[in-house]
Amino acid sequence: MRRPNKAPPAASKDGPRINDDIRNAQIQLIDQTGDNKGTVETVVAIRMAQEAGMDLVEISPNTSPPVCKIMDYGKYKYSAQKKAAEARKRQKTVEIKEIKLRPMIDDHDYDVKMRAMQRFFEEGDKVKITLRYRGREMAHQEIGTKLLDKIKTDVAELAKVEQDARFEGRQVVMVLAPR
């Protein structure tokens, strides 16, 4: 048995409706100079836009009647694209950098880790500190706790504790965020 061909669904357009896509009988019209012309028939508004060499663009579709403006749709779309690109360029993604430590870390190694942590905070990144216990170190967990407290006091002016130290198996995890 042969099934009838189904037409593919109409592609939904992104952005505001323009010109003949506006289905309402009446609209609130704003002309190209920004003057409010009041409630106008859609057909008349489209004709006015064509005479001006521009498009009728639906600005606020959810009002009654919908608000439409006479403008150059190509320019409008281009400027919106530029704004979006500028916003993407300016946004900062916060990364989580990880620093791994051991409870019996030496002073110089600790200083190196602290300098790296300081650099991460200056770049605006969060730091996840992982303190791993191996073998008999589990019997002396107070050493690791003292080390984490020392880290908190050393970075107090640069960062705040976002997630306090908690055990995950044989390791303790703490997350610090820049101030």
Side-chain angles (χ1 to χ4, degrees), residues 154-166:
D154 287 351
V155 299
E157 67 275 352
L158 292 173
K160 60 182 180 283
V161 178
E162 189 172 88
Q163 177 187 334
D164 213 2
R166 72 170 202 272

Side-chain angles (χ1 to χ4, degrees), residues 36-37 51 58 96 122 125 127 145 157 165 172 174 176:
N36 191 342
K37 297 290 184 183
E51 287 171 5
E58 190 175 43
I96 297 181
E122 286 168 0
D125 296 326
V127 176
T145 307
E157 67 275 352
V172 180
M174 179 170 70
L176 302 172

Side-chain angles (χ1 to χ4, degrees), residues 67-108:
V67 179
C68 296
K69 187 174 182 180
I70 296 175
M71 65 168 76
D72 186 352
Y73 184 65
K75 269 187 190 173
Y76 170 76
K77 208 169 176 186
Y78 178 75
S79 65
Q81 198 175 16
K82 284 290 182 191
K83 269 187 208 165
E86 191 68 29
R88 273 196 307 276
K89 191 168 76 174
R90 286 209 177 117
Q91 86 181 24
K92 170 81 169 91
T93 56
V94 176
E95 292 183 42
I96 297 181
K97 306 284 188 169
E98 185 174 19
I99 299 237
K100 293 184 178 180
L101 300 170
R102 297 282 309 285
M104 300 301 293
I105 191 169
D106 201 33
D107 291 338
H108 182 265

Side-chain angles (χ1 to χ4, degrees), residues 2-63:
R2 190 171 167 274
R3 291 200 171 101
N5 287 343
K6 283 190 176 179
S12 62
K13 291 169 61 175
D14 57 331
R17 293 188 289 194
I18 60 168
N19 298 333
D20 294 328
D21 294 339
I22 301 168
R23 294 283 174 227
N24 299 62
Q26 291 190 331
I27 57 163
Q28 183 78 24
L29 181 66
I30 299 170
D31 68 358
Q32 59 269 31
T33 59
D35 298 332
N36 191 342
K37 297 290 184 183
T39 305
V40 180
E41 297 284 325
T42 306
V43 180
V44 175
I46 291 172
R47 194 174 314 117
M48 287 171 66
Q50 286 173 346
E51 287 171 5
M54 296 187 177
D55 301 302
L56 184 66
V57 181
E58 190 175 43
I59 301 297
S60 180
N62 299 328
T63 58

